[in-house]
Amino acid sequence: MRINIYQIDGEKDTNRVKFSGYDETMKHGGIISQNYKCVFHGDVDGDLEDVYALFNDCDHPGTYQGHSLSVSDIIEVIGDSEDIESGSYFVDSIGFKKLPDFDATQCAEMDGLRMLMIQPHRTPIVTYVKDDLASLLRAVSDHCEESYIEYTYPFEDDCMILGNEEAKLNGMEGNRRLGNGIYAGPIFVTRDDGVGGLCSLTEEQGQKYSEMFAKPQDISPEEVQSDCGFTFYGWS
């Protein structure tokens, strides 16, 4: 299922309800959407309990920018899934409390550069990645394991693909076919700023490449391995 995760910004927490349960929070001003900041956009498997376990494990998705998932955090489920209906859920001391009026549009966005994240078997999603080496390395990992970055330039504009240099060697799943090659593992469409760095996608570029990569592709492990000899030109 596709989710967003929000956590209270400590600098805005004048009511001191960060890490407080639902009842205690309601006694001290309630849930204030503007005090929350998004720390994750992405896709996960399972139900809310599975989400809680995943984001309390060091093996969490590499784009996660928050602390271990805890009481007072909010999980927004985008679209109904097999396990849970769409909506915003407060992480309570025991279980989860569905919120009827949490306004995610009032929350601060994630830190970093706007990129399009494309994962195997998933539709693309716009997310943000901090523009530092450690964050970029985590992003192209499966779940925060050691990784190496590779940049490739398959497009005619200033956009590029950021991926994992050793994705195929490490047995990562096939992601998308492009040109004569195959990308494996998580990939990100981002932009070259023209002076050796990266910059955010424009909204138009985000839409353009979301449409280009909208349909997940089934790529067998054998097909991925047969493409290991194909060379993308880039650096790590």
Side-chain angles (χ1 to χ4, degrees):
M1 64 182 172
R2 180 152 292 181
I3 65 169
N4 299 324
I5 294 177
Y6 304 91
Q7 294 178 340
I8 293 175
D9 182 340
E11 295 183 357
K12 297 179 180 179
D13 186 26
T14 56
N15 293 336
R16 298 184 180 181
V17 293
K18 188 177 178 71
F19 304 124
S20 296
Y22 180 80
D23 291 340
E24 188 70 15
T25 297
M26 298 310 291
K27 292 177 184 177
H28 294 87
I31 297 167
I32 303 173
S33 302
Q34 295 92 325
N35 290 355
Y36 278 81
K37 179 181 181 65
C38 187
V39 295
F40 181 74
H41 298 295
D43 294 294
V44 296
D45 295 320
D47 57 18
L48 292 177
E49 293 289 353
D50 294 317
V51 173
Y52 185 84
L54 175 62
F55 288 95
N56 272 280
D57 193 314
C58 60
D59 192 31
H60 57 67
T63 55
Y64 185 51
Q65 295 182 1
H67 54 68
S68 296
L69 200 65
S70 185
V71 175
S72 79
D73 296 346
I74 293 174
I75 304 167
E76 181 185 19
V77 178
I78 311 298
D80 293 339
S81 71
E82 294 181 0
D83 301 292
I84 189 168
E85 64 181 14
S86 62
S88 297
Y89 295 83
F90 184 94
V91 182
D92 208 352
S93 304
I94 299 176
F96 305 88
K97 177 77 171 180
K98 189 171 185 181
L99 305 176
D101 53 4
F102 181 74
D103 185 359
T105 66
Q106 299 297 312
C107 301
E109 190 48 273
M110 295 175 68
D111 295 325
L113 303 177
R114 185 191 303 112
M115 299 185 184
L116 185 70
M117 179 169 64
I118 307 166
Q119 295 177 298
H121 314 300
R122 308 282 194 183
T123 57
I125 183 171
V126 173
T127 190
Y128 292 77
V129 180
K130 294 180 181 179
D131 190 16
D132 62 74
L133 181 59
S135 296
L136 294 170
L137 288 171
R138 286 195 300 272
V140 300
S141 69
D142 245 349
H143 289 89
C144 292
E145 74 278 6
E146 184 176 347
S147 58
Y148 297 90
I149 301 172
E150 180 178 56
Y151 298 95
T152 60
Y153 296 80
F155 310 121
E156 295 182 356
D157 57 12
D158 60 355
C159 292
M160 65 174 80
I161 290 179
L162 182 156
N164 190 313
E165 188 179 65
E166 298 185 339
K168 297 172 189 174
L169 296 176
N170 291 338
M172 289 186 176
E173 292 185 282
N175 191 337
R176 296 296 197 277
R177 300 179 186 88
L178 192 61
N180 295 320
I182 291 172
Y183 285 93
I187 59 175
F188 295 78
V189 180
T190 183
R191 288 176 67 200
D192 187 328
D193 67 1
V195 290
L198 306 176
C199 57
S200 289
L201 294 177
T202 65
E203 290 188 11
E204 291 77 13
Q205 288 170 328
Q207 181 64 31
K208 172 183 176 181
Y209 290 106
S210 290
E211 294 173 357
M212 177 181 293
F213 294 103
K215 187 175 180 180
Q217 297 176 338
D218 291 324
I219 304 173
S220 69
E222 293 76 18
E223 191 175 357
V224 173
Q225 289 304 307
S226 69
D227 191 59
C228 280
F230 184 88
T231 301
F232 288 112
Y233 292 96
W235 63 90
S236 61

